[in-house]
Amino acid sequence: MIADVVLPIPVGKYFSYTVPVEIAPYVSLWSRVRVPFRQRDATGIVTAIREGDGTGLKAILEPLEFFPLVDPELAALADWASSFYLTPKGLVMKYALPPLRDIERYLVVETTGEGPSAAGSALLNKTIKRLGRLRLVQLFRQGSISLRDDITHRKFTAAHPMAGPSGDNQTERTVFIDSVGHRLERYITLIGKHIDDNGNILFLLPDHYAAGAYFTEKMKAIYGDRVLWFSSGVPVKQRMETYFRARQEGGYIILGNKNSVFLPVHNLSLIIAERYDDDEYRNEESFKFNAIRTAIERARSGGIPIVLGGAACCANIIWHARENGIAIQCNDWMAGSNFTNTIKTVGSRSPGELLDRLCTDIIETVHRGDNTAVYVPRKEYGSYLKCYVCRGPLACTKCGGHFDYDRDKDTLHCTACDAERPYMDACPNCGSNMIGFARIGASFVYDHLSRTAPGLNVTLITGDSLKEELPALRKKGPHRTQCLVGTRALSKLYGYHVDKLILADWEELRKMSGFRSEEKTHQIIANLIDALTPDEIVCYSRSRKSADLVPYLKTTAFYENELRKRKEADFPPFTRIFLVEARAKTQGAADRALAKVKTVLSDNDLDPFLFGTIPHNKPPFHSWKTVLKGPKDLLDSAFTDLYNIAGVEIEADSPNF
DNA sequence: AGCACGCCGACT
DNA sequence: GTCGGCGTGCTC
């Protein structure tokens, strides 16, 4: 007997091993096995079992599982994900399954038979050491021992995955675009319906600490200890409790972020995905997938109701929903809100003027006793310094590159040649002191405010500072007048009401590169408004003629327009984009890897789908990204060959290129 | 990925 | 004259 095994390595093929007769009964499809690989052992997953004598093959060393932990539903989802995201199955499985040692750490062995050893229980790991794993697996299969987990105290047996209580699945398959208050109401109604039938609800959230904390609090207030978390943000024991309960019990709300889309859930009767447009649902490490797209597939293949909730639209998902018979409910919540009538735009001639007007406004607002949040598209201090006499960026005297300002060292730093010189209030070329930042960043606004109005209670919110600031913001409560300055991380402050939302230089968002820049602009603005529920919005513009914010607030019209443009240009979702990256430590090696990629693409007649090749050199590596545009199965035939080139990785549906 | 084999620079 | 850098190839 031969078993085909996939390993957690970025290689597109499987490896075959012979299966010794004594372990054959315990090796099944999708079970984990220990195999010799090179000089060492590796954990692999059996993806096929077939007949044959297997001369020249190595043998499987031992079965690792008492029964396969992967049920057919999870297996099918992993298969789908592997081919949809062009990731080797071994890497998908490594991501989808909890490490065996996390599971076994909490298992105890119980003797059930009348055998020679007296009834009792012992930690699984110790018993494995004493008797050997194979022996235990044999005893388990013949019924002499059983396993129990030490957290829920339930028997650990092969779960019987079942579809949840069949409700009115069709009407509950919805993309629901509305404010957070309405989404919460909707979620609660749905959860109530399913939980009463002992169904489990999988509730996907973009993170654990912000959106996660908000919804945990809301859910716990109603359902108490029926609320579980499964994600990398919680301690192992808590995560494993969720794992053990989810696979056997019912009536739980299982909250988690992107990895929980692969969690085996007994009686799964509803999937909710909050802020389905959030970038955090995209995994960027090794297995590059989108948890929302994967959740849609899980719901589709299992006939499970799914509700995708958010404040903004996402063209890709909207289109997908239409194709799959998922309803879209968008009531244009922003267009009808109070603040729409109060949107005010203040133009300026320079970043300096913008900053002055902005600060004056903030100080007045805070003194009036109103909460304010200032959104700035960039987090850095300011992106480059400009001389208004030379009419261009401050130029490096050595190489002519752009100078930017290093806040910590108080120096000018050349972005091209790394030269540094002490900061002076003058242009190095013409000596004029008419210099300033060509763009402003959140830190710059924050520092400027702290300096000009020392008494003001200002907090800087960026992706880095959010986690630290959150507890303090919660504690202070809504009564303390505050001013927040921050980047898009501000949109994570669910339920933090501000009276005035200031958008500083928001038009900068529209200059983002990539075909999704308009959509991202809409999403950032919508999510800011969703979290901060402003009564009033003021836009500060860097130029005199400023763009109109309103089209970004009319959600339905926005996505219809966006879809129309995408179709005309033949861009996603009407086609797929694949990035084939060839990476190496030296330029020469990267070039050679690229040449191999091109050969494989050419051999598979993919040249007509080539969109271009772009260099992507981030310091320790040199890399080339080859972009292909085409149907969803475009790379199926080239997949294995591409992954057999060292340093090659494929990313499907990349939102930025 | 991770590890071994293989060919070009600074050391006792 | 060697040690060791990383580029290349291969893993049942």
Side-chain angles (χ1 to χ4, degrees):
Chain A
M1 200 162 75
I2 295 173
D4 296 335
V5 172
V6 291
L7 298 167
I9 54 175
V11 167
K13 62 184 180 191
Y14 56 78
F15 296 86
S16 303
Y17 293 85
T18 57
V19 187
V21 275
E22 65 275 20
I23 69 172
Y26 317 110
V27 171
S28 45
L29 211 55
W30 295 102
S31 67
R32 274 182 271 205
V33 289
R34 198 161 59 84
V35 294
F37 189 66
R38 275 284 173 119
Q39 319 287 66
R40 50 184 55 220
D41 295 356
T43 297
I45 286 178
V46 177
T47 53
I49 296 172
R50 56 199 165 85
E51 290 310 314
D53 69 346
T55 324
L57 299 182
K58 291 185 182 174
I60 287 182
L61 297 171
E62 64 175 359
L64 289 172
E65 292 177 346
F66 293 81
F67 47 83
L69 287 170
V70 178
D71 60 62
E73 189 206 346
L74 179 57
L77 190 65
D79 258 342
W80 174 86
S82 166
S83 77
F84 192 80
Y85 290 111
L86 298 144
T87 303
K89 223 167 280 189
L91 292 179
V92 173
M93 295 312 299
K94 188 195 162 94
Y95 183 90
L97 295 173
L100 205 58
R101 70 171 103 69
D102 283 354
I103 297 172
E104 297 193 336
R105 207 166 130 182
Y106 299 103
L107 291 180
V108 293
V109 182
E110 291 178 341
T111 315
T112 48
E114 316 291 313
S117 50
S121 70
L123 295 176
L124 176 64
N125 285 333
K126 285 197 175 160
T127 319
I128 288 173
K129 268 199 193 132
R130 199 158 54 85
L131 297 177
R133 186 179 285 270
L134 179 60
R135 182 79 194 114
L136 274 184
V137 172
Q138 286 167 344
L139 288 171
F140 179 85
R141 290 294 184 92
Q142 73 200 37
S144 323
I145 59 163
S146 62
L147 299 173
R148 190 178 292 278
D149 80 77
D150 211 10
I151 305 176
T152 73
H153 305 294
R154 279 185 161 264
K155 265 204 174 149
F156 190 65
T157 55
H160 306 288
M162 291 192 297
S166 60
D168 186 358
N169 293 357
Q170 211 43 51
T171 57
E172 289 181 4
R173 292 165 64 86
T174 314
V175 176
F176 184 60
I177 303 170
D178 209 325
S179 64
V180 64
H182 287 137
R183 297 202 300 280
L184 184 60
E185 244 172 70
R186 173 70 162 265
Y187 299 158
I188 290 171
T189 311
L190 282 168
I191 289 169
K193 222 166 97 190
H194 287 274
I195 215 164
D196 289 345
D197 287 339
N198 208 38
N200 278 314
I201 293 107
L202 189 57
F203 196 140
L204 302 181
L205 287 153
D207 62 65
H208 176 251
Y209 58 95
Y214 178 80
F215 280 93
T216 305
E217 192 187 306
K218 300 288 181 194
M219 291 300 135
K220 284 212 162 146
I222 305 173
Y223 295 106
D225 56 11
R226 304 258 98 193
V227 180
L228 301 175
W229 255 104
F230 183 81
S231 80
S232 39
V234 302
V236 189
K237 188 168 184 183
Q238 196 186 337
R239 192 159 74 236
M240 295 320 292
E241 175 183 347
T242 307
Y243 180 80
F244 289 125
R245 290 200 192 283
R247 63 196 297 285
Q248 303 201 60
E249 301 180 12
Y252 285 98
I253 304 163
I254 300 150
L255 307 179
N257 35 308
K258 54 183 178 283
N259 61 343
S260 45
V261 76
F262 292 103
L263 179 68
V265 181
H266 167 75
N267 251 15
L268 177 60
S269 73
L270 174 66
I271 299 173
I272 295 174
E274 160 64 7
R275 282 261 178 106
Y276 69 95
D277 58 308
D278 201 297
D279 269 354
E280 296 211 34
Y281 286 114
R282 289 173 39 241
N283 193 41
E284 315 238 82
E285 314 252 288
S286 75
F287 169 32
K288 295 171 179 159
F289 75 105
N290 182 317
I292 296 298
R293 181 64 190 87
T294 308
I296 291 175
E297 173 58 21
R298 184 168 182 176
R300 189 201 61 76
S301 65
I304 301 156
I306 182 167
V307 173
L308 305 159
C313 82
C314 168
N316 192 25
I317 300 292
I318 299 270
W319 181 79
H320 230 89
R322 282 190 181 154
E323 296 284 298
N324 285 282
I326 299 177
I328 295 156
Q329 267 186 41
C330 173
N331 72 0
D332 281 309
W333 66 283
M334 288 187 289
S337 296
N338 292 341
F339 59 77
T340 316
N341 304 320
T342 67
I343 295 173
K344 201 171 75 181
T345 298
V346 181
S348 309
R349 267 162 305 177
S350 69
E353 191 178 330
L354 186 156
L355 202 61
D356 286 343
R357 294 186 167 180
L358 183 89
C359 290
T360 312
D361 187 352
I362 292 166
I363 293 164
E364 276 172 20
T365 310
V366 172
H367 284 163
R368 231 182 10 245
D370 287 350
N371 274 329
T372 325
V374 186
Y375 166 73
V376 194
R378 303 171 179 275
K379 87 165 176 220
E380 321 96 85
Y381 207 66
S383 54
Y384 61 88
L385 281 155
K386 185 178 169 183
C387 170
Y388 293 95
V389 174
C390 301
R391 300 184 142 269
L394 293 199
C396 170
T397 37
K398 280 190 193 145
C399 76
H402 292 187
F403 271 130
D404 64 13
Y405 176 63
D406 187 321
R407 172 198 196 181
D408 295 329
K409 297 189 207 152
D410 193 32
T411 54
L412 292 176
H413 168 255
C414 174
T415 48
C417 72
D418 264 351
E420 270 192 36
R421 54 182 291 159
Y423 176 75
M424 285 179 301
D425 236 340
C427 169
N429 288 328
C430 71
S432 153
N433 56 8
M434 296 272 288
I435 61 171
F437 285 101
R439 297 186 188 122
I440 53 172
S443 310
F444 185 46
V445 174
Y446 171 78
D447 280 357
H448 187 84
L449 260 174
S450 313
R451 252 198 327 270
T452 48
L456 224 58
N457 184 18
V458 192
T459 309
L460 179 67
I461 304 288
T462 63
D464 302 325
S465 73
L466 182 64
K467 263 186 215 179
E468 300 157 38
E469 301 291 355
L470 262 171
L473 287 176
R474 288 243 164 77
K475 221 182 287 169
K476 280 175 192 160
H479 302 300
R480 178 90 157 85
T481 304
Q482 283 240 3
C483 173
L484 307 180
V485 177
T487 57
R488 60 181 304 180
L490 283 170
S491 68
K492 292 256 178 206
L493 300 175
Y494 279 79
Y496 182 95
H497 172 74
V498 300
D499 301 287
K500 186 190 273 189
L501 172 63
I502 293 173
L503 304 174
D505 204 15
W506 70 273
E507 294 135 297
E508 195 58 26
L509 284 173
R510 306 169 66 217
K511 295 178 192 154
M512 280 183 295
S513 63
F515 68 93
R516 285 186 63 235
S517 70
E518 283 288 279
E519 177 176 77
K520 285 186 195 163
T521 303
H522 157 77
Q523 289 168 345
I524 289 170
I525 304 278
N527 285 320
L528 278 171
I529 294 171
D530 184 50
L532 302 172
T533 59
D535 298 321
E536 188 189 350
I537 295 179
V538 187
C539 304
Y540 282 86
S541 174
R542 198 145 50 87
S543 62
R544 275 209 268 165
K545 49 179 192 332
S546 46
D548 187 5
L549 186 68
V550 176
Y552 294 93
L553 307 180
K554 294 182 171 168
T555 311
T556 309
F558 180 84
Y559 73 69
E560 293 299 353
N561 189 35
E562 186 69 18
L563 280 170
R564 187 181 49 72
K565 284 191 297 187
R566 302 265 187 101
K567 187 164 181 78
E568 277 166 17
D570 191 30
F571 265 112
F574 301 96
T575 184
R576 287 186 86 196
I577 284 173
F578 301 91
L579 300 185
V580 182
E581 182 179 18
R583 195 177 61 188
K585 275 205 180 152
T586 63
Q587 187 65 62
D591 292 349
R592 279 186 292 277
L594 174 66
K596 286 187 195 169
V597 168
K598 291 252 160 115
T599 309
V600 171
L601 294 179
S602 201
D603 290 350
N604 285 278
D605 300 316
L606 294 171
D607 291 335
F609 302 97
L610 266 173
F611 201 66
T613 296
I614 42 177
H616 206 86
N617 297 326
K618 42 203 168 198
F621 293 104
H622 295 268
S623 96
W624 291 102
K625 280 188 177 175
T626 302
V627 185
L628 292 113
K629 206 173 78 154
K632 62 176 185 298
D633 57 355
L634 186 69
L635 292 184
D636 286 8
S637 56
F639 172 65
T640 309
D641 287 342
L642 285 173
Y643 259 102
N644 284 334
I645 304 168
V648 165
E649 265 184 49
I650 304 174
E651 183 180 2
D653 305 337
S654 170
N656 7 272
F657 81 97

